[in-house]
Amino acid sequence: MLDRAPRRTADDRLLAIIAGMRHADPDRTLAGIAKRLEHMRERTLRGCAKWYPSSVVAAVASRAARPDHRLDPQLAQSDCYG
């Protein structure tokens, strides 16, 4: 009756972290999120240790581009999208 939940991918995990940061502090900038991800030693989608504001946008956009995306409305309203 109940099947196993599908595995979360790396970009799902990053999106959850970024969304959590935006929820905790809605005024945090992309640069602030990038700095915090570096402090947490999270890797970018390409495996780099250095985060830039554009890397944060790319992490969110990669998830939004998937056909099964369920983007958090608050995150969609963020400065990540304009």
Side-chain angles (χ1 to χ4, degrees), residues 13-74:
R13 183 173 178 278
L14 278 175
L15 185 67
I17 292 170
I18 293 168
M21 287 182 196
R22 292 289 299 170
H23 182 71
D25 184 6
D27 296 328
R28 184 173 285 195
T29 63
L30 290 172
I33 291 172
K35 183 182 267 190
R36 181 69 181 136
L37 288 169
E38 284 181 16
H39 186 263
M40 293 171 63
R41 297 187 178 175
E42 289 294 329
R43 295 287 181 166
T44 66
L45 295 177
R46 298 181 125 196
C48 300
K50 177 72 176 163
W51 279 88
Y52 298 95
S54 61
S55 305
V56 176
V57 172
V60 174
S62 72
R63 180 66 173 114
R66 290 179 33 191
D68 64 334
H69 82 282
R70 281 183 232 108
L71 193 59
D72 179 6
Q74 183 179 7

Side-chain angles (χ1 to χ4, degrees), residues 4-16:
R4 293 184 95 167
R7 280 197 133 159
R8 294 186 126 196
T9 60
D11 60 327
D12 287 343
R13 183 173 178 278
L14 278 175
L15 185 67

